């Protein structure tokens, strides 16, 4: 069957094609706009184009990520000055009481993705159930805990900035299920021994926002108020062995570099 377009539709399509072509030929940047304050570029002006990154998903890291754990080995990790000793099984690693592990690489500002699963059958309660943690720069803990129907002090529940801030919401899945954490961590800045800018995190737990640019009060402490002590610009990530056999998989990071302000 032949489908015949009415004449008017043809004209409309032709005009649409023309206007698209005209738009493509036209320069896309402006040069008659004001300068952006603090930048060497104009509003909508010509400037370096952000590079293209293929987005990932729960199963695959983005194209420019540093894969810290893909299920095959623990080469990116150590436990103090010894090799990381957690069990390796299937596509995950499991805490086994051999101690916390640290990334061999050190980072400043970064994006982190990891997936974890709390132990089943559930055992213990409060801080004794599915306790681990993700420490930035070896100091600032984002709490990992089985907080699915498990009461504890709110600033110690899953995704709390431990001892400082509870999450906005509890987005925990039942133990045994795989949960994701996506974190944007901004390292603190120091001026000599003095704090200039505190560490901040934005956290998505299973895709749910639980912190937005929340400031750490200082290095994680138990039963006391956290304080800052000046340190270097980079530090390792740490996964805590708190004696509970949580599983981890698919850990990757992307380092953040600054916005390009241009040469002034
Ligand atoms: Mg912990």
């Amino acid at each position: 069957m032949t489908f015949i377009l009415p004449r008017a539709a043809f004209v409309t399509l032709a005009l649409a094609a023309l206007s698209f072509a005209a738009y493509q030929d036209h320069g896309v940047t402006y040069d008659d706009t004001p300068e952006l304050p603090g930048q060497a570029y104009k509003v909508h002006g010509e400037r370096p184009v952000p590079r293209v990154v293929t987005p990932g998903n729960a199963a695959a890291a983005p194209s420019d990520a540093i894969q810290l754990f893909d299920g095959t080995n623990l080469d990116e990790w150590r436990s103090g000055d010894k090799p990381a000793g957690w069990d390796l099984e299937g596509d995950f690693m499991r805490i086994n009481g051999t101690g916390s592990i640290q990334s061999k690489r050190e980072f400043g500002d970064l994006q982190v993705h990891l997936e974890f699963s709390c132990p089943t059958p559930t055992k213990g309660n409060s801080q004794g159930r599915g306790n681990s943690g993700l420490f930035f720069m070896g100091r600032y803990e984002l709490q990992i805990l089985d907080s699915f129907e498990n009461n504890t002090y709110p600033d110690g529940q899953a995704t709390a900035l431990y001892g400082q801030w509870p999450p906005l919401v509890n987005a925990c899945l039942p133990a045994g299920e795989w949960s994701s954490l996506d974190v944007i961590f901004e390292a603190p800045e120091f001026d000599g021994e003095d704090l200039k800018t505190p560490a901040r995190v934005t956290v998505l737990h299973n895709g749910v926002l639980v912190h937005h640019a929340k400031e750490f009060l200082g290095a994680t402490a138990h039963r006391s108020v956290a304080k800052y002590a000046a340190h270097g610009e980079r530090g390792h990530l740490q996964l805590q062995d708190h004696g509970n056999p949580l599983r981890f998989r698919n850990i990757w990071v992307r380092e953040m570099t600054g916005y390009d302000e241009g040469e002034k």
Side-chain angles (χ1 to χ4, degrees), residues 127 131-133 135 141 143-144 162 240 242:
Q127 294 290 301
N131 193 336
S132 181
F135 284 71
E141 185 183 15
Q143 173 71 314
I144 293 174
Y162 184 83
Q240 186 183 43
H242 204 279

Side-chain angles (χ1 to χ4, degrees), residues 124-202:
N125 53 43
S126 186
Q127 294 290 301
R129 185 189 294 186
N131 193 336
S132 181
L134 172 62
F135 284 71
F136 295 90
M137 310 186 96
R139 296 170 173 83
Y140 309 104
E141 185 183 15
L142 181 69
Q143 173 71 314
I144 293 174
L145 193 78
D146 180 356
S147 287
F148 187 83
E149 298 175 357
N150 174 32
N151 285 331
T152 189
Y153 40 87
D155 68 12
Q157 74 177 68
T159 71
L161 309 190
Y162 184 83
Q164 305 178 22
W165 286 103
L168 293 169
V169 295
N170 179 340
C172 286
L173 294 171
E177 294 196 21
W178 285 100
S179 284
S180 64
L181 279 179
D182 288 280
V183 186
I184 295 152
F185 173 81
E186 293 170 82
E189 288 179 75
F190 298 92
D191 187 1
E193 291 304 303
D194 299 329
L195 178 70
K196 204 169 117 196
T197 318
R200 291 196 301 196
V201 280
T202 294

Side-chain angles (χ1 to χ4, degrees), residues 49-72:
V49 176
R51 67 204 162 85
V52 174
V53 174
T54 308
N57 52 42
S63 60
D64 66 344
I66 300 168
Q67 189 91 49
L68 291 184
F69 180 68
D70 67 1
T72 58

Side-chain angles (χ1 to χ4, degrees), residues 12-111:
T12 309
L13 282 172
L15 278 175
L18 260 181
S19 61
F20 181 67
Y23 179 75
Q24 289 289 293
D25 290 341
H26 193 269
V28 294
T29 57
Y30 291 71
D31 63 6
D32 60 350
T33 44
E35 297 249 348
L36 284 162
Q39 301 186 38
Y41 304 114
K42 292 178 172 178
V43 176
H44 312 317
E46 198 171 324
R47 62 188 299 165
V49 176
R51 67 204 162 85
V52 174
V53 174
T54 308
N57 52 42
S63 60
D64 66 344
I66 300 168
Q67 189 91 49
L68 291 184
F69 180 68
D70 67 1
T72 58
N73 61 69
L74 291 165
D75 292 356
E76 289 281 350
W77 300 86
R78 60 183 170 83
S79 182
D81 53 7
K82 298 196 196 77
W86 290 7
D87 295 335
L88 201 52
E89 223 177 284
D91 63 348
F92 59 83
M93 55 173 153
R94 186 193 284 117
I95 297 172
N96 60 5
T98 56
S100 300
I101 62 173
Q102 299 85 32
S103 64
K104 291 178 182 171
R105 298 181 201 238
E106 300 201 329
F107 307 99
D109 297 348
L110 84 169
Q111 174 185 357

Side-chain angles (χ1 to χ4, degrees), residues 203-218:
V203 183
L204 296 168
H205 183 199
N206 294 321
V208 178
L209 184 72
V210 292
H211 293 289
H212 181 224
K214 202 67 193 158
E215 294 178 353
F216 275 95
L217 299 174

